[in-house]
Amino acid sequence: MIEKLHKSLETYYSEMVELRRTLHQHPELSFEEVKTPELIADYLEALGIEVKRNVGGRGVVGYIRGGKSGKTVALRADFDALPIEEETGLSFASKVPGVMHACGHDGHTATLLVVAKVLMQHQQDLEGTIILIHQFAEELAPGGAIAMIEDGCLDGVDAIFGTHLWSTMPLGEIGFRRDAIMAAADRFEIEFHGRGGHGASPHETIDAIAVGTSVVQNLQHIVSRNVDPLKSAVLSVGSFHAGGAFNVIADRAKIVGTVRTFESEVQDMMIERMEQVTKGVCNAMGATYQFEYKKGYPAVINDPLETDRFVRVAIDLQGEELVKEMAPVMGGEDFAYYLQHVPGTFFFTGAGNVDQGIIYPHHHPKFDFDESAMLVAGKLLTSAAIDFLLNSTKENLHSQVDAN
């Protein structure tokens, strides 16, 4: 059956490309998606698929109920874009000024739509139910996953699979991990309050820039001196704003940055130490501060058993030499929330192509991906879903027998 589905996907590859390019030309920002979910829902309904619109706000969920009873598996794709001015020069470049699909979500959506078309053609042969989760607002916390889950998109789901087209990984390669594959992505802001004054009379002031600079320098020591070297953490200050005139000592300064971790204990320690450092420096220099820390998406933690299932089907499709256990990625993904509720795995599908000049990273104005990677991703998602429906019940029976 899987072989038939793969051949059908190949037949509709040109439609997959057409869908991707249509989506690419009409990107919509997180929490502002209107036309995109309409296109998705209309497409699925035209196939005869049961559809729920406005799930969690702007999400779309499709239900393919097989002709035979069985378990339920979900496949997820995201569809929001980014506030970036496109510089690719593609013939199908964004028509929306300042907005671009710079992360491959247009490809994720097009892939899952055509997967749905192929699965629907074999609906009567399916042993169970396949749920298609089209998620809004992955790029901007709190993201769309939480709201969709609260609105029931995972009701009755036994497992879930998702992928990310990855432009920095060569076409054909597949990346997986059996545990943490993406980090928790947090944001912090610290505002320093000093006492401004004339640049010629620093002794009469409390220099907020000097305070902020000292805090930034000391924050850099937390990871190197407080985090277990066998564990991972990143602390980056991405913005420092203060002052306005060359001869005025600033009374206020503000830094904004991000923290990335995989373990909640490390995350909690980072928060505690950051405020301790800030408080200590400010006390020593006579300043006050406001510390704000916002936890973003949690770490993406794959289920080992479902990852093993995926690895097996991926090797069958791509060959063992192209299916590689990868290092964790410090970027964040709200697929994490799905995995907190049901077992599953999130994997990376290589979509880079040096010969075609597809070398730019995600969120870059010249980002693009090799469109043939969508076909690979579609086959992998289909294989994982079908394998789960066909074999998970048997596997559970075997494990029960072994336990006895």
Side-chain angles (χ1 to χ4, degrees):
M1 180 181 181
I2 290 177
E3 186 176 346
K4 290 181 180 179
L5 291 168
H6 287 179
K7 288 181 178 178
S8 295
L9 285 170
E10 293 170 2
T11 299
Y12 294 113
Y13 172 64
S14 60
E15 182 176 345
M16 193 182 289
V17 171
E18 183 180 351
L19 282 166
R20 181 259 167 151
R21 295 184 177 187
T22 296
L23 291 163
H24 192 88
Q25 291 181 85
H26 305 283
E28 295 180 304
L29 294 173
S30 305
F31 296 104
E32 298 178 17
E33 308 96 333
V34 176
K35 296 296 184 182
T36 305
E38 286 182 359
L39 182 153
I40 293 168
D42 290 347
Y43 183 93
L44 295 176
E45 287 179 343
L47 297 174
I49 294 174
E50 176 188 342
V51 171
K52 285 186 179 179
R53 299 175 184 245
N54 305 315
V55 179
R58 300 177 186 270
V60 179
V61 179
Y63 300 84
I64 301 177
R65 306 186 192 281
K68 305 172 185 178
S69 62
K71 291 198 170 185
T72 298
V73 62
L75 302 175
R76 176 268 204 169
D78 40 16
F79 57 73
D80 56 326
L82 288 157
I84 296 174
E85 185 69 33
E86 183 163 354
E87 298 176 3
T88 62
L90 294 169
S91 61
F92 53 91
S94 171
K95 294 182 178 181
V96 183
V99 184
M100 174 191 177
H101 271 295
C103 203
H105 296 187
D106 49 343
H108 301 165
T109 300
T111 298
L112 192 56
L113 287 175
V114 175
V115 165
K117 182 171 188 172
V118 169
L119 289 170
M120 195 60 181
Q121 292 177 345
H122 297 268
Q123 179 183 16
Q124 293 305 310
D125 298 324
L126 296 177
E127 296 183 14
T129 298
I130 297 179
I131 295 180
L132 313 162
I133 298 175
H134 287 274
Q135 183 202 308
F136 65 102
E138 184 278 328
E139 295 287 2
L140 184 63
I146 291 178
M148 292 190 70
I149 292 168
E150 291 174 348
D151 205 8
C153 75
L154 288 182
D155 289 355
V157 172
D158 298 301
I160 187 168
F161 298 95
T163 190
H164 205 307
L165 300 176
W166 210 239
S167 68
T168 56
M169 182 183 292
L171 178 69
E173 284 191 7
I174 309 300
F176 73 92
R177 281 188 68 81
R178 291 180 174 84
D179 45 24
I181 191 168
M182 299 188 77
D186 302 340
R187 183 181 192 274
F188 67 85
E189 295 183 9
I190 309 175
E191 187 168 307
F192 308 100
H193 305 280
R195 184 171 64 245
H198 200 290
S201 303
H203 60 290
E204 297 176 353
T205 71
I206 297 174
D207 189 343
I209 292 178
V211 174
T213 300
S214 182
V215 169
V216 170
Q217 290 176 328
N218 281 279
L219 288 178
Q220 303 307 316
H221 297 298
I222 296 176
V223 173
S224 65
R225 288 296 175 266
N226 295 119
V227 176
D228 184 334
L230 298 180
K231 298 181 180 181
S232 299
V234 169
L235 189 160
S236 296
V237 176
S239 173
F240 192 131
H241 290 282
F246 81 99
N247 61 348
V248 176
I249 291 177
D251 66 338
R252 290 178 181 244
K254 182 179 181 180
I255 62 173
V256 182
T258 186
V259 172
R260 306 296 170 107
T261 56
F262 289 103
E263 300 179 34
S264 59
E265 294 82 3
V266 175
Q267 182 187 50
D268 291 341
M269 183 277 295
M270 292 291 295
I271 299 170
E272 181 180 2
R273 288 293 294 133
M274 287 174 67
E275 185 153 21
Q276 287 175 347
V277 166
T278 302
K279 182 178 181 180
V281 170
C282 287
N283 285 343
M285 300 181 75
T288 58
Y289 68 93
Q290 288 181 331
F291 180 88
E292 183 177 2
Y293 192 101
K294 295 181 179 179
K295 290 185 178 180
Y297 304 151
V300 180
I301 310 295
N302 285 331
D303 178 79
L305 295 179
E306 293 310 323
T307 303
D308 285 342
R309 176 192 311 284
F310 165 74
V311 170
R312 185 175 69 248
V313 301
I315 289 174
D316 287 343
L317 179 66
Q318 296 296 98
E320 189 169 2
E321 69 282 0
L322 291 177
V323 181
K324 302 179 179 181
E325 186 155 16
M326 61 188 289
V329 174
M330 298 309 289
E333 238 284 357
D334 69 348
F335 194 87
Y337 293 117
Y338 301 112
L339 293 175
Q340 289 182 340
H341 289 78
V342 296
T345 199
F346 190 74
F347 61 93
F348 289 85
T349 302
N353 191 322
V354 175
D355 294 337
Q356 293 182 16
I358 300 174
I359 57 174
Y360 295 96
H362 295 251
H363 296 207
H364 191 283
K366 294 185 179 180
F367 169 84
D368 192 17
F369 61 85
D370 189 320
E371 291 176 322
S372 60
M374 295 189 294
L375 185 58
V376 177
K379 289 180 177 180
L380 290 169
L381 289 171
T382 303
S383 294
I386 297 302
D387 189 273
F388 179 84
L389 294 181
L390 291 177
N391 297 318
S392 61
T393 301
K394 299 175 185 176
E395 291 164 359
N396 288 343
L397 289 174
H398 287 315
S399 63
Q400 291 173 9
V401 170
D402 293 340
N404 293 332

